[in-house]
């Protein structure tokens, strides 16, 4: 389990484990990591756990978030990264990250190692389906987009040029669509139940997206397309 070591004025002020899919950092009391100091926004930043990766995102804070001295909007955390918020330092420690890129970042579906597939025929079948759908999604390297069919943004089209884009209702149900070299994927982030893909639960592993897929998450419904 990854952990954060908070240092204030050169002294260690506490160690916090990232033990939830959505780990919040801010000055308000219900933050996963509360930093009640001047310059820290109420909801300053959040760390999403997506597959095997922890992803830090600044929540439009007043004074910004730095990683290793660089201002970031979104950053995949690496072992020994130093997060800076309003003069405080937060060191990210994770042996999982120290071992290099996760399978989730480089494979179609987490757990694609051949020795795992050999042990599980059902998983091997799922992998073949995932590879086929991912191939459809990367056809021509086209840009992905979603058409919002239900919810506050109904009628809008949202392009997906960024690496990550979250959908859903924070605190209730959230999923992230991320763009990889081999296609677009959707992954559960937050909520008691994962989002639905074509009427079925996406589960806890990344799922490849193909044109015309329908996603239901939180109070939103959206259709994935390629342009």
């Amino acid at each position: 389990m990854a952990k954060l070591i908070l240092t204030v004025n050169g002294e260690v002020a506490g160690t916090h484990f990232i033990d939830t899919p959505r780990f919040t950092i801010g000055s308000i009391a219900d933050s996963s990591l509360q930093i009640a100091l001047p310059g820290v926004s109420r909801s300053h930043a959040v760390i999403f756990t997506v597959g095997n990766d922890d992803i830090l995102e600044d929540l439009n804070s007043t004074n910004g978030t730095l990683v290793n001295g660089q201002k970031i909007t979104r950053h995949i955390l690496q072992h020994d990264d130093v997060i800076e918020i309003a003069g405080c330092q937060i060191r990210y420690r994770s042996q999982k990250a120290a071992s290099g890129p996760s399978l989730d970042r480089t494979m179609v579906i987490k757990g694609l190692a051949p020795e795992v597939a050999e042990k599980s025929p059902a998983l091997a079948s799922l992998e073949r389906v995932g590879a086929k759908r991912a191939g459809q999604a990367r056809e021509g390297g086209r840009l992905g987009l979603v058409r919002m069919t239900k919810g506050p943004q109904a009628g809008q089209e949202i392009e997906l040029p960024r690496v990550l884009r979250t959908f859903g209702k924070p605190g209730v149900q959230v999923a992230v669509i991320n763009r990889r070299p081999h296609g677009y994927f959707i992954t559960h982030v937050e909520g008691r139940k994962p989002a639905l893909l074509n009427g079925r639960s996406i589960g806890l592993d990344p799922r490849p997206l193909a044109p015309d897929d329908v996603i239901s998450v939180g109070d939103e419904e959206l259709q994935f397309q390629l342009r």
Side-chain angles (χ1 to χ4, degrees), residues 132-190:
K132 180 178 178 181
R133 289 168 62 80
Q136 293 172 338
R138 69 170 178 265
E139 180 185 353
R142 293 185 292 169
L143 178 67
L145 62 89
V146 292
R147 293 191 176 99
M148 308 301 295
T149 57
K150 181 180 177 182
Q153 302 180 85
Q156 296 185 30
E157 284 192 357
I158 300 174
E159 293 187 344
L160 303 170
R162 298 184 298 173
V163 175
L164 295 169
R165 179 66 157 80
T166 57
F167 294 92
K169 190 173 183 180
V172 178
Q173 189 182 54
V174 176
V176 61
I177 294 178
N178 64 311
R179 185 181 188 182
R180 308 181 188 183
H182 45 271
Y184 285 86
F185 290 73
I186 184 168
T187 307
H188 172 70
V189 172
E190 181 183 10

Side-chain angles (χ1 to χ4, degrees), residues 27-179:
S27 63
I28 56 176
D30 64 353
S31 300
S32 305
L33 170 53
Q34 183 188 21
I35 307 176
L37 294 173
V40 180
S41 297
R42 288 171 56 82
S43 297
H44 197 106
V46 64
I47 297 174
F48 290 110
T49 298
V50 179
N52 286 339
D53 295 316
D54 292 318
I55 301 164
L56 173 69
E57 182 171 354
D58 182 80
L59 297 177
N60 296 317
S61 63
T62 301
N63 294 305
T65 301
L66 305 181
V67 175
N68 303 327
Q70 301 294 319
K71 190 171 184 179
I72 62 96
T73 300
R74 187 177 293 106
H75 175 79
I76 299 176
L77 290 166
Q78 304 298 310
H79 181 66
D80 263 345
D81 274 351
V82 176
I83 305 165
E84 297 179 59
I85 294 177
C88 302
Q89 291 190 331
I90 307 168
R91 186 173 294 275
Y92 173 81
R93 304 300 301 273
S94 172
Q95 292 304 317
K96 179 175 61 179
S99 64
S102 68
L103 286 176
D104 172 57
R105 220 185 293 176
T106 55
M107 299 295 185
V108 174
I109 294 178
K110 190 172 68 174
L112 274 179
E115 61 271 20
V116 176
E118 289 174 4
K119 294 178 182 178
S120 174
L123 178 59
S125 175
L126 179 60
E127 289 161 5
R128 288 193 293 270
V129 173
K132 180 178 178 181
R133 289 168 62 80
Q136 293 172 338
R138 69 170 178 265
E139 180 185 353
R142 293 185 292 169
L143 178 67
L145 62 89
V146 292
R147 293 191 176 99
M148 308 301 295
T149 57
K150 181 180 177 182
Q153 302 180 85
Q156 296 185 30
E157 284 192 357
I158 300 174
E159 293 187 344
L160 303 170
R162 298 184 298 173
V163 175
L164 295 169
R165 179 66 157 80
T166 57
F167 294 92
K169 190 173 183 180
V172 178
Q173 189 182 54
V174 176
V176 61
I177 294 178
N178 64 311
R179 185 181 188 182

